[in-house]
Every structure is written in C-alpha cells, then in structure tokens.
Amino acid sequence: MTTLLLNGRVHSPAMPDATAIAVSDGIVAWLGSDDVGRQQFPDAKIVDLDGGFVAPAFVDSHVHLTATGLTLAGLDLRNATSLRHCLELIGDHARKQTNGPIWAHGWDESGWPERTAPSTDDLDGILGDRPAYLARVDVHSAAASTGLRRLVPGLADAAGFDPQRPLTSDAHHLVRAAARDRLTPLQRQLARLAALDAAGASGIVAVHECAGPDIGGMDDWHEVRETDHGVEVVGYWGEHVTTAHQARELIDRTGARGLAGDLFVDGALGSHTAWLHQPYADAPTAHLYACTEAGITAGFHVIGDAAVTAVVIALERVVDHFGVPAVARCGHRLEHLEMVTDEQAGRLGSWGVFASMQPNFDALWGGEHGMYAQRLGVDRSTRLNPLALLASQGVPIAFGSDSPVTDMNPWATVRAATRHRTPGSAISARAAFAAATRGAWRAGGVLDGITGTLVPGAPASYVIWEADEFEVSAPAGAVQRWSTDQRSRVPALPRLDGRLPRCRQTVHRGAVIHG
C-alpha cells in the first residue's frame, strides 16, 4: 500500500521544491508536486499535510534512557534558582511522595547566588532518615542523604568521598548504584517508556544509549535492550578492554553496537572532575588497540583538555600500528569533545573519528559569565565546543542531548549550534540539521549514504512539523555564501529565532510512532 502525503513542504536535497512525498513499504518511493503525485499514485492512501513541513526524523546521539525517564517522572531540579529554592522543591516532593527513596536530578549551583551545593545536613534536615540521591546536572557528582550513604559499606574509604559535600568519582558511583538498586523493575520500565515516548514526541526515531557499569549497570542495559518501543535504540557499552578477544567477548555478551559512549577518561567541568592536568595514555591505547584489532567501534567520554590529549595520543599510536583505513572503518567516536585544539581536530578528521557533541552545553554554560568561565576563566572558556573548527577539519559530527543533562528537543539543539556564544564557533542551520539527522545515523554505523534524508530509496523515517517561517541561513557573522540564496535550490529550514517547530506526527520506517 502506498501513502501519498500532499499539500505540504518536504525537506529533500533531491527535490527542494517538493510539496508531496509517496511512501511504500516503509521506503520513500517518490517526491514531487501534488498534481503529479495524484496522477502517478491514483490508488494511494491520501494524507493532507495542510501546509505541514515534512523533514527527516532526528536521531539523538547520546542519551541515558532510564535516568531520563526517572527525571520525567520524578524530581527535576534543573529549574531551581537558588540553594533555598532547591531545598524547597525537595521538601515539596518528599511530602507528596511519602514512600521510598528520593531520586532527583539537575541541580546546578553555578547559577545560584549562594554558589553552594546541597549538603548532607541540608538533606537530612528535610528528609530525616530517608535515602535520597540528587544528581548534579552533569551526573558526575551527587548529593546524598545519610539514609542513602549508610547503605554503602566502606563509602568513607572511596575516592571522591566527603561527609557533607556532593560525592564524586568512585564514591558517587557507589551511592548511585545503591539508589538504583532500590528502584523496582517496574519503576525502571515505566521510566524507560516515558523517555522513549518523549523522544518520539520530539521527532526523534532513534537514540544512542550510552551505557556502562557505572551508569545503569548490566541489569538496566539488558532491560533497555528488551524494551519494545517504536523508537529505535542503538546501544553502546562503555567498559574498558585490553585485548581483541575481550572486546569480541564483551560485544557478544552485551549485544552492543560498540564499546564506546561513556567510557570515562574524565568527568565534567561542573563537577570539577574533567581532566585538566598532565595526561597519561596507556589505558586509552590498550582499549583502542583491542577494539581496532577486533573491528569494533571504540570511544570515550572526553571533556578536559588532558583527557582529549590522552585519547588523541592513543589514536595516533593505533593509527601508526593499524593504518588510517583500519581505524576509519571502525568509526571510533568521542563523546562531548569540548576542549580540542586546531591540530587535534585536523588529526581526528583525517582518521575519521566521530565527534558526538551536545550544542546545548554551550547554550547553558557558555559565555563570559557562564559556568565554563567560572571553572576555567573567560579566555579558556571561549575555546570550548568548537563546532565550526571540527566541521572545517572534516571531523564527522553527530548531535545529541546527553539527556537528562539537557532536554531531548532537537530543534533547540540545532538552534544552539547556530548561536554559539563564541564568535566563529557556530555552524549553519543546514550543517546542524545534518548532524542531528544523517550525521547521527552515520555515527551509529549506518553508512548507506541515504538514511537520514528524504530521497527515493531511503527509509521513510520522517516527522510532520508545524512551523511558522522558513529560511536558508548561515550562522551569525559568517560570510553569506551561494547556498544561502533561495535560487541555489538548497532546501530551507524553519526559522529558529521565534517559536520552535511543533511535532504533529513521527514516523519511523513507515510506521507511526507518535501522533
């Protein structure tokens, strides 16, 4: 059965002026004008777009589904404006949820007038003996009540422990695991379904789950893989290996797409755990050797400059041993990649290493008064998340949210990439849209050249949007090249300086998954 969508606007490089699209058996069959479509497909099921905008569906290249769902259903502290406000929100939530542990996410003291995180005494004064886990917005540290801390034997001996301040490093991983263990399988299932529903409602048809032993654990990983939902889950497992045999065995055991994602070389700037001192390179090298020999995608969580340097040195050694083609075939990927030099970007581009980036990090924490400037000083902070540099050096880019760190709103991601707070670091809306669609498919190993676009023969994964105005634009301050002219036949995108597009329907491989 063929479905013919008419009376709209279709975003396609093959037919920039298309107002109609035909879909058969989950594949794009044709694009063109309404009249021709009706003649060519007289027996098709007709869908009147009523002026709607049909575009390739989005892919989120970095999410944590269970944590996202727990934030959606639980206590979201990202809107707390002060320490006092944060504690009020915790108290209100505790009075409504009288049973079980408190699981919360999102506090960010860098924007509060006190510049002070919740302490153990703060939580105990509100919650008494109840276990409570409150992840910082970057999820690399957490405040924890005494009721939770006492559930972890030997916590005081773990790296990153503090009796009052938020826990980091091993201590954080231990309390997070203890809090996670108190969640029921049903709670975790409902959380994942809520996260996937939210993705579909945002025009996202696939997500890259970045899992690992210290994130959700193996039980959560298997539950994620068994979840039945229309949004496709591409899974990465972040665990270190030292031999090709270990790499293959771990892939067989987990069913992961690669041993990548959040394999931590460092933490986060906000939690003071990004690696900003002299690097070592032995552990990244061993993992990359093993995965490259096995032909498996490897990757790391890298934010600090020392962490990036360690991984680039390791990659260079692996390239010297196996050659560029072998490394490029693996599609190794680096998550976040916030602090990278011109020289490093050039090397990564020449080796075909993917950058999985989160433009909303700059929107939240960039600028001369933002968290980056607080942690690093203004001069260093302006060199973070250099999207234009990476693109100019040929580094393949994919965009994601790192949800629940930032929301799964892909148009907000595209807008943030075009409005980088550092002059010269933004990219065009066209490039940003590509990074959030076909670029993210490529980073997930889909290299057919058409997935993530609407051209004949491509999977019919698309979204119908309501959008107000359209334009072909370049980033602010950039030279207006030929492609910004409407006569260039470059398909236009919605303007993002007002209300963002609203999702009417999300379709993945011909099946409606939202709306």
Side-chain angles (χ1 to χ4, degrees), residues 11 29 43 54 65 94 122 178 190 202 237 330 337 370 434 499:
H11 185 278
D43 299 323
V54 181
L65 287 172
D122 288 334
L190 293 176
S202 300
W237 181 256
C330 290
L337 196 62
R499 186 168 61 160

Side-chain angles (χ1 to χ4, degrees), residues 16 29 52 152 281 407 438:
V152 183
D407 288 331
R438 59 186 175 88

Side-chain angles (χ1 to χ4, degrees), residues 27-328:
I27 301 295
V28 176
W30 171 90
L31 302 105
S33 66
D34 293 2
D35 292 343
V36 174
R38 290 183 184 276
Q39 295 172 9
Q40 190 160 340
F41 302 98
D43 299 323
K45 173 186 175 182
I46 302 296
V47 174
D48 186 354
L49 294 169
D50 191 24
F53 174 57
V54 181
F58 287 104
V59 177
D60 194 315
S61 71
H62 191 123
V63 302
H64 305 285
L65 287 172
T66 304
T68 296
L70 290 170
T71 300
L72 292 171
L75 179 55
D76 187 346
L77 297 173
R78 286 177 292 183
N79 293 324
T81 57
S82 66
L83 174 60
R84 179 179 177 180
H85 185 207
C86 177
L87 297 176
E88 288 174 351
L89 292 173
I90 295 167
D92 291 344
H93 180 77
R95 283 187 288 274
K96 295 174 184 175
Q97 181 188 312
T98 57
N99 297 316
I102 301 295
W103 183 292
H105 165 83
W107 58 268
D108 182 359
E109 85 293 354
S110 68
W112 295 349
E114 305 94 341
R115 299 282 174 88
T116 302
S119 69
T120 307
D121 285 346
D122 288 334
L123 300 184
D124 292 349
I126 299 171
L127 303 173
D129 199 43
R130 289 182 69 177
Y133 170 83
L134 285 75
R136 193 181 184 279
V137 65
D138 54 34
V139 203
H140 286 276
S141 61
S145 67
T146 298
L148 178 60
R149 289 167 179 251
R150 69 162 55 104
L151 297 176
V152 183
L155 178 64
D157 298 325
F161 173 81
D162 188 280
Q164 286 296 324
R165 299 178 63 184
L167 305 171
T168 63
S169 190
D170 293 343
H172 172 228
H173 295 154
L174 289 170
V175 296
R176 182 176 176 85
R180 191 175 63 230
D181 289 345
R182 297 183 72 83
L183 298 171
T184 67
L186 178 60
Q187 286 176 307
R188 294 196 298 268
Q189 179 188 17
L190 293 176
R192 284 187 293 273
L193 291 173
L196 290 166
D197 286 345
S202 300
I204 296 167
V205 298
V207 296
H208 295 184
E209 168 75 6
C210 294
D214 295 323
I215 299 172
M218 190 64 79
D219 288 344
D220 183 71
W221 164 258
H222 286 305
E223 290 170 357
V224 167
R225 294 192 66 230
E226 293 167 1
T227 300
D228 184 18
H229 197 279
V231 174
E232 184 176 339
V233 178
V234 179
Y236 290 94
W237 181 256
E239 185 172 347
H240 177 254
V241 296
T242 57
T243 68
H245 174 75
Q246 287 179 348
R248 296 188 186 99
E249 189 276 332
L250 192 53
I251 287 291
D252 290 342
R253 180 155 54 94
T254 61
R257 182 68 56 87
L259 302 181
D262 276 346
L263 177 50
F264 299 116
V265 175
D266 68 347
L269 290 165
S271 291
H272 296 93
T273 52
W275 190 12
L276 300 173
H277 56 76
Q278 290 300 310
Y280 65 92
D282 53 346
T285 303
H287 185 76
L288 283 165
Y289 262 106
C291 289
T292 303
E293 182 180 344
I296 291 169
T297 299
F300 302 96
H301 172 294
V302 287
I303 288 180
D305 49 6
V308 175
T309 298
V311 171
V312 172
I313 290 172
L315 279 163
E316 186 172 29
R317 294 173 178 172
V318 173
V319 167
D320 289 343
H321 182 82
F322 291 102
V324 171
V327 171

